[in-house]
Amino acid sequence: CFGFVFNAVQANTISIAFEESFGVSRVVMGLILATLTAAIIFGGLRRIVAVTTWLVPVMAIGYILLALIVVVLNITEVPSVFALIVKSAFGAEEMFGGIVGAAILNGIKRGLFSNEAGMGSVPNAAATADVTHPVKQGLIQTLGVFIDTLVICTSTAMIVLLSDAYLSQDASSINLTQVSLTDHIGDWASGVLAIAIFFFAFSSVIGNYYYGESNIEFIKRSKMVLNVFRVLVVGFVFFGSVAKVQLVWDLADVFMGVMAFINLIAIFMLFKIAKKVLDNYLEQRKQ
């Protein structure tokens, strides 16, 4: 799911963003991304990974500030945007048309992809944290879901809905946000967003790869198996760059659903242990 399909989604996002902003062919962008990915996962260019660890948070803060500027510039329109959201989700026409169910389903799918809550992926990263108690890291992970979904995604919603770009049939995926941002601030904003998306998405590609690598090594320590996995990862990065948006997201939805189903069973089995750990943490806090 992460090594192949999710990496294809991230590569797809990057290639569309660069085609929209700079006119770079998606095939060319796919070759560039595949080459960079291969260089890192085969050559271990950890310096690039180290750079993204501080650059991505900076980009995220910058993106939120851009969204705040857009909101301030269109402050009188904000109440009507919230009214549009509520009306579109729970209006009588949508209720009878069955669109509410579809909206909720799509919200769950995109929310899952956005914050990965309950899918079992984030514990791979959380387990590497150096904390005095595991519950502290668990609380940090819940904060991550809040920031990602309610802050970052709401920022995107404001940028899109305060523009008229979403009414066009031509705009979809990441270029919808780019076109909307251009409407608000100017042509330069689209390029800045494309660069930010590159760092967001490409750091995810590398992170996704390491999820796969660490789990493969846990199951079977084999250089050959690992190298086959690496070659397939590079292949899926290129495939995602040139594939249609709908195909890539449909694949992601299927694999994500399977992974979430398996992980939810594991969560129920681990509940008693998690409860004991939480009780221990709360007792220590009390003392």
Side-chain angles (χ1 to χ4, degrees):
C1 186
F2 276 82
F4 306 150
V5 181
F6 278 12
N7 274 350
V9 173
Q10 301 291 5
N12 187 268
T13 303
I14 294 172
S15 68
I16 291 173
F18 271 72
E19 184 180 50
E20 173 69 31
S21 293
F22 308 115
V24 179
S25 162
R26 291 178 66 187
V27 173
V28 171
M29 200 64 215
L31 289 171
I32 292 170
L33 289 174
T35 302
L36 284 173
T37 304
I40 291 174
I41 66 179
F42 281 101
L45 301 180
R46 296 188 181 276
R47 188 172 296 175
I48 293 177
V49 179
V51 169
T52 58
T53 57
W54 64 263
L55 193 60
V56 168
V58 170
M59 289 284 186
I61 293 167
Y63 182 68
I64 294 168
L65 288 174
L66 268 180
L68 283 174
I69 291 169
V70 169
V71 170
V72 170
L73 290 173
N74 300 274
I75 194 69
T76 56
E77 299 296 322
V78 171
S80 62
V81 165
F82 280 107
L84 175 66
I85 292 169
V86 174
K87 182 182 176 183
S88 299
F90 304 111
E93 184 181 330
E94 288 76 13
M95 190 73 76
F96 289 113
I99 299 174
V100 170
I104 292 171
L105 180 61
N106 203 52
I108 290 170
K109 289 191 293 186
R110 295 297 163 260
L112 263 178
F113 182 84
S114 174
N115 59 47
E116 300 173 26
M119 281 167 36
S121 56
V122 178
N124 286 270
T128 65
D130 183 17
V131 289
T132 55
H133 198 287
V135 168
K136 285 186 177 181
Q137 190 59 28
L139 295 173
I140 288 293
Q141 299 310 137
T142 63
L143 180 64
V145 172
F146 172 82
I147 292 171
D148 180 274
T149 308
L150 293 181
V151 179
I152 300 287
C153 292
T154 301
S155 298
T156 302
M158 288 294 115
I159 290 170
V160 170
L161 294 176
L162 285 168
S163 165
D164 293 328
Y166 72 93
L167 299 171
S168 169
Q169 296 298 314
D170 299 328
S172 62
S173 186
I174 183 61
N175 66 333
L176 174 57
T177 311
Q178 288 177 286
V179 173
S180 302
L181 203 54
T182 300
D183 280 353
H184 294 300
I185 301 176
D187 292 337
W188 64 271
S190 178
V192 170
L193 183 58
I195 293 168
I197 287 297
F198 174 83
F199 285 106
F200 285 143
F202 191 69
S203 62
S204 294
V205 168
I206 303 307
N208 292 345
Y209 161 74
Y210 279 115
Y211 282 167
E213 181 190 87
S214 61
N215 284 280
I216 283 173
E217 288 182 338
F218 178 80
I219 296 166
K220 183 176 177 63
R221 286 192 173 273
S222 167
K223 193 72 175 176
M224 187 186 75
V225 171
L226 193 57
N227 282 331
V228 169
F229 171 68
R230 287 170 173 171
V231 170
L232 288 171
V233 167
V234 173
F236 269 87
V237 166
F238 179 77
F239 161 75
S241 300
V242 300
K244 290 184 177 180
V245 174
Q246 191 63 45
L247 171 62
V248 170
W249 279 102
D250 286 346
L251 282 171
D253 290 340
V254 171
F255 279 82
M256 188 164 57
V258 172
M259 190 165 69
F261 177 74
I262 294 169
N263 189 60
L264 287 172
I265 296 170
I267 286 175
F268 280 116
M269 293 170 71
L270 287 167
F271 173 76
K272 288 183 179 179
I273 297 171
K275 182 69 168 60
K276 286 180 180 178
V277 176
L278 177 61
D279 290 343
N280 175 263
Y281 174 74
L282 293 174
E283 181 61 30
Q284 287 189 38
R285 283 287 302 272
K286 190 177 178 181
Q287 290 176 4

